[in-house]
Amino acid sequence: MSKTFRWILIIAVGVTAYVLGAKAGRARYRELRGIAQSVWNDPQVKKIRKRAVKEGQKVAKQAAKQADAALKHRG
């Protein structure tokens, strides 16, 4: 099999898979996207996200203080 034929075959298979997958997969993609959005916007998940952001900010401040102390101690 020549290199040219191999590339043409790969491109043809890729285009065919894209066309077939785009038509069949679009509905499933929309369904999964809707599920993900409903989970993301759930009130309990929002509370957890806010708590995680606050905790992350708290940990970042502690890490910054420790880094400053380490730099002062070093130099």
Side-chain angles (χ1 to χ4, degrees), residues 3-66:
K3 286 185 179 182
T4 305
F5 180 74
R6 209 177 300 172
W7 278 109
I8 291 172
L9 181 63
I10 290 170
I11 291 169
V13 169
V15 168
T16 303
Y18 173 78
V19 169
L20 293 176
K23 289 181 180 177
R26 188 169 292 133
R28 182 68 177 148
Y29 166 77
R30 286 183 181 156
E31 180 184 348
L32 292 173
R33 184 176 151 208
I35 292 170
Q37 285 178 338
S38 67
V39 169
W40 183 259
N41 294 323
D42 183 81
Q44 290 178 331
V45 175
K46 284 184 179 183
K47 283 182 184 179
I48 293 170
R49 284 196 331 249
K50 285 181 182 181
R51 196 176 323 147
V53 168
K54 285 182 182 179
E55 186 65 27
Q57 290 170 342
K58 180 179 165 185
V59 170
K61 284 180 184 179
Q62 289 173 349
K65 286 179 184 179
Q66 289 177 351

